[in-house]
Amino acid sequence: MRLIRSIKGMSLASCKIKERGKSIGFVPTMGALHKGHLSLIRRARKDNDFVVVSIFVNPTQFSPQEDFKRYPRPIKKDIAICRKAGVDFVFYPEAGDMYPAGFKTYAAVEDLSSVLCGRSRTGHFRGVTTVVAKLFNIVQPNRAYFGQKDAQQAAIIKRMTEDLNFPIQIKVMPTFREKDGLAMSSRNIYLNQREKKDALVLIQALKLAKALVRRGIKDTKRIISRMRQVIAGKKNIRIDYISIVDLNELKPVKRICGSVLVALAVFIGKTRLIDNAIIKNA
Amino acid sequence: MRLIRSIKGMSLASCKIKERGKSIGFVPTMGALHKGHLSLIRRARKDNDFVVVSIFVNPTQFSPQEDFKRYPRPIKKDIAICRKAGVDFVFYPEAGDMYPAGFKTYAAVEDLSSVLCGRSRTGHFRGVTTVVAKLFNIVQPNRAYFGQKDAQQAAIIKRMTEDLNFPIQIKVMPTFREKDGLAMSSRNIYLNQREKKDALVLIQALKLAKALVRRGIKDTKRIISRMRQVIAGKKNIRIDYISIVDLNELKPVKRICGSVLVALAVFIGKTRLIDNAIIKNA
């Protein structure tokens, strides 16, 4: 496995692979790798000749009041995980190289970026799409892998890839969960024992939504109201949003018909967690 | 020479070339090819194994009141010119394929896009950078060729290419001129005989600027004022802007020191023409 820090070095390595007609699978991450990431890497390993994992805590996707500085960066551990998983290249660039003085270009997906998480995280998705566009151009993958846990991010990146004609297949893999149902997230390490238990309201609310739909309830207002009740009882938890939207446009749905995305974000203490489920009205 | 209309077809052709380790030179155009375009094609022919010319009158770079509908589209003639010039692929996509329903992604370069031509052509450069990003991803060139006539466009595309890490070299070639000095432009066909003569004020104003700098005048306000006088006398001509800016940031310069870009845009009747010169204060 090769650890590459320079953009030029990564670009060159990718060019050589592509010139030989070999395929590249790419897993972009912010590090602090967990089993969710590992499932993406494993799938990339299976589908491609070469696997590239990037580790970059991208400053442009954090607002000033967010946890950029505090975000976990266990780089040695991450590298060991990649090596063990059979990754070929870890691309670990420096922020000053990714965003040099005079940087002023952004890739942005309208509409999709201003709803759900985009409402409370202004500029977040513009930061995500910009860094992903950069990484796509540097790594030149045939396939790129993202987790369904970040459902809005996945929808936005799919849209960008299609709209800007990146010659890349976007693969979205299922959310990986702890045994108790908590979705894997690098931010889970912020939680103390008590908060970890509290965080189970996310999956409980989603399960309730599923059960309600199974019982034939299609009115999303009613479902969201019941989900709110699950969470409202808890101290130390604040709801950011609970939404039921269509899968492509992420626009609120009034009555469930076909597949919808049920998504929510809550603050457990100071930690913001998200989760979602695709629910089908059979 | 192959004429390709589908995005997939072009993308596939490019992938095959890249897989063989061959290079692609790309000349993106809006058609109505003139000798300026030809000089770009010739250079691309010299530098690369394969040459791709795109012909696409890009709707997103025209404002509603501009000449999108009226813009010349002599496609048969353009194809014949490409064939004669030894082009390998003409990519001639349809607007509905480039911008399908639901399209919502834009690549934009801040600051540089809102000055000079960007002031009177709101959204123009965002349209340009978006379509160029798309074309870059479809054609996957090693080198792309642009004319210095569109100096601001060239600066913006260079910036985007660098910022988003496109693995592409941007080559900016000198402005091609008629014998009388008028810069070649697809929009020159809008001009009647009288207007064609009037249009010479552009090159006259630029020559004056050069002469003034050669005489040691460094105060840009004074130079611009003298350039205005050249044009102000003419009926039927309206100045959009005359600016002297630095080459990278396109910010107004007060005193000339080193190289600067002297750029201007005027309306000759209803036709908006631009021209520019890089002037060096030795």
Side-chain angles (χ1 to χ4, degrees):
Chain A
M1 191 184 79
R2 245 183 87 195
L3 175 70
I4 301 184
R5 296 226 60 180
S6 87
I7 291 174
K8 234 184 192 166
M10 187 66 243
S11 180
L12 211 69
S14 290
C15 279
K16 278 187 186 163
I17 293 171
K18 300 303 285 288
E19 275 178 22
R20 288 164 53 204
K22 302 287 185 186
S23 64
I24 298 174
F26 178 41
V27 183
T29 82
M30 299 213 301
L33 302 179
H34 51 65
K35 285 180 187 161
H37 296 113
L38 254 182
S39 76
L40 306 182
I41 295 173
R42 259 190 234 116
R43 180 59 189 267
R45 184 68 284 165
K46 211 175 124 189
D47 295 347
N48 303 278
D49 297 317
F50 290 85
V51 174
V52 178
V53 172
S54 67
I55 297 177
F56 181 58
V57 184
N58 174 36
T60 63
Q61 72 189 70
F62 290 81
S63 346
Q65 76 279 12
E66 288 183 340
D67 57 342
F68 174 66
K69 280 203 173 151
R70 177 178 174 234
Y71 197 88
R73 292 168 170 83
I75 182 68
K76 278 190 187 165
K77 203 176 143 202
D78 286 343
I79 290 173
I81 289 172
C82 288
R83 182 169 285 123
K84 210 177 148 197
V87 169
D88 298 292
F89 299 90
V90 170
F91 178 47
Y92 174 46
E94 301 197 47
D97 289 341
M98 289 292 276
Y99 298 107
F103 184 94
K104 37 178 130 270
T105 307
Y106 294 91
V109 178
E110 291 186 344
D111 306 334
L112 301 187
S113 299
S114 53
V115 297
L116 305 177
C117 290
R119 277 194 137 176
S120 57
R121 305 191 72 190
T122 313
H124 168 68
F125 287 111
R126 193 183 76 151
V128 170
T129 40
T130 300
V131 82
V132 168
K134 285 169 66 67
L135 290 168
F136 279 2
N137 282 334
I138 296 165
V139 175
Q140 299 164 59
N142 299 70
R143 297 173 194 88
Y145 298 81
F146 296 87
Q148 176 62 25
K149 210 280 246 93
D150 301 295
Q152 185 176 11
Q153 173 179 279
I156 288 171
I157 285 169
K158 269 188 185 172
R159 184 79 259 166
M160 174 181 76
T161 303
E162 207 169 296
D163 282 354
L164 295 187
N165 307 102
F166 281 100
I168 299 171
Q169 254 185 290
I170 304 299
K171 301 274 191 184
V172 180
M173 308 300 294
T175 302
F176 224 83
R177 298 181 181 280
E178 306 279 1
K179 271 186 195 157
D180 58 13
L182 179 63
M184 300 260 179
S185 162
S186 303
R187 287 189 170 99
N188 288 351
I189 67 150
Y190 296 153
L191 304 172
N192 61 33
Q193 277 314 101
R194 171 70 200 270
E195 290 172 330
K196 253 193 173 164
K197 265 197 179 157
D198 285 345
L200 295 179
V201 291
L202 287 155
I203 187 74
Q204 282 158 9
L206 290 171
K207 277 184 178 165
L208 173 63
K210 252 183 213 174
L212 292 172
V213 173
R214 211 179 300 123
R215 269 195 263 149
I217 296 171
K218 295 180 182 179
D219 177 33
T220 55
K221 217 170 156 184
R222 199 165 147 203
I223 296 168
I224 290 171
S225 152
R226 290 288 305 276
M227 290 173 75
R228 283 193 175 276
Q229 282 169 24
V230 172
I231 299 169
K234 307 269 173 187
K235 255 196 289 186
N236 203 29
I237 302 191
R238 181 165 67 77
I239 296 171
D240 180 7
Y241 69 82
I242 303 179
S243 294
I244 302 181
V245 299
D246 74 277
L247 297 178
N248 290 317
E249 299 292 322
L250 306 181
K251 279 187 183 153
V253 167
K254 278 192 181 172
R255 281 181 73 75
I256 296 179
C257 170
S259 291
V260 294
L261 179 73
V262 184
L264 74 170
V266 305
F267 284 91
I268 314 276
K270 284 181 182 175
T271 304
R272 188 175 176 281
L273 297 179
I274 58 174
D275 203 348
N276 69 81
I278 292 174
I279 296 184
K280 213 183 201 161
N281 173 28
Chain B
M1 191 184 78
R2 245 183 86 194
L3 175 70
I4 301 184
R5 297 227 61 182
S6 87
I7 292 174
K8 232 184 194 166
M10 187 66 242
S11 180
L12 209 69
S14 290
C15 278
K16 278 188 187 164
I17 293 171
K18 300 303 284 291
E19 275 178 21
R20 289 165 51 204
K22 302 288 185 185
S23 64
I24 298 173
F26 178 42
V27 183
T29 82
M30 299 213 299
L33 302 179
H34 51 65
K35 285 180 187 161
H37 296 113
L38 255 183
S39 76
L40 305 182
I41 294 173
R42 260 190 232 117
R43 180 59 189 268
R45 184 68 283 166
K46 211 175 124 191
D47 296 346
N48 303 277
D49 297 317
F50 289 85
V51 174
V52 178
V53 172
S54 68
I55 298 178
F56 181 60
V57 184
N58 174 37
T60 63
Q61 71 189 70
F62 290 80
S63 347
Q65 75 280 12
E66 287 183 340
D67 58 342
F68 175 66
K69 280 203 173 152
R70 180 178 171 231
Y71 197 88
R73 291 167 170 85
I75 184 67
K76 278 189 186 167
K77 202 177 143 201
D78 286 342
I79 290 172
I81 289 171
C82 288
R83 182 170 284 125
K84 209 177 149 198
V87 169
D88 298 292
F89 298 91
V90 169
F91 178 47
Y92 174 44
E94 301 196 48
D97 289 341
M98 289 292 274
Y99 299 105
F103 183 94
K104 38 178 128 271
T105 307
Y106 294 91
V109 178
E110 292 187 344
D111 306 334
L112 300 186
S113 299
S114 53
V115 297
L116 305 177
C117 290
R119 278 194 136 175
S120 58
R121 305 191 71 190
T122 314
H124 168 67
F125 288 111
R126 192 182 78 150
V128 170
T129 40
T130 299
V131 81
V132 169
K134 286 169 66 67
L135 290 168
F136 279 1
N137 283 334
I138 295 165
V139 175
Q140 300 164 57
N142 300 71
R143 297 173 194 87
Y145 299 79
F146 296 86
Q148 177 61 26
K149 210 280 244 88
D150 301 295
Q152 184 177 11
Q153 172 178 280
I156 287 172
I157 285 169
K158 269 188 184 172
R159 183 81 260 165
M160 174 181 77
T161 304
E162 206 168 297
D163 283 353
L164 295 187
N165 307 103
F166 281 100
I168 299 170
Q169 254 185 291
I170 304 299
K171 301 275 192 184
V172 181
M173 308 300 293
T175 302
F176 224 84
R177 297 180 182 280
E178 307 278 1
K179 271 185 194 155
D180 58 14
L182 180 64
M184 300 262 179
S185 162
S186 303
R187 286 188 170 100
N188 288 352
I189 68 151
Y190 296 153
L191 305 171
N192 60 33
Q193 277 314 100
R194 171 70 200 271
E195 289 173 330
K196 252 193 173 164
K197 264 197 180 158
D198 285 345
L200 294 178
V201 291
L202 287 154
I203 187 73
Q204 282 157 9
L206 290 171
K207 277 184 178 165
L208 173 63
K210 251 182 213 174
L212 293 172
V213 173
R214 210 179 300 125
R215 270 195 262 149
I217 296 170
K218 296 180 182 180
D219 177 34
T220 55
K221 215 169 156 184
R222 200 165 146 203
I223 296 168
I224 290 171
S225 152
R226 290 289 304 278
M227 290 173 74
R228 283 192 175 276
Q229 283 169 23
V230 172
I231 299 169
K234 307 269 172 186
K235 256 195 289 186
N236 203 27
I237 302 191
R238 182 166 65 80
I239 297 172
D240 181 7
Y241 69 82
I242 302 179
S243 294
I244 301 182
V245 299
D246 74 276
L247 297 179
N248 291 316
E249 300 293 321
L250 306 180
K251 279 188 184 153
V253 167
K254 277 193 181 169
R255 280 182 73 75
I256 297 180
C257 170
S259 291
V260 294
L261 178 73
V262 184
L264 73 170
V266 305
F267 284 90
I268 314 275
K270 284 182 182 175
T271 305
R272 188 175 175 279
L273 296 180
I274 59 174
D275 203 348
N276 69 81
I278 293 174
I279 296 183
K280 212 181 200 162
N281 173 28

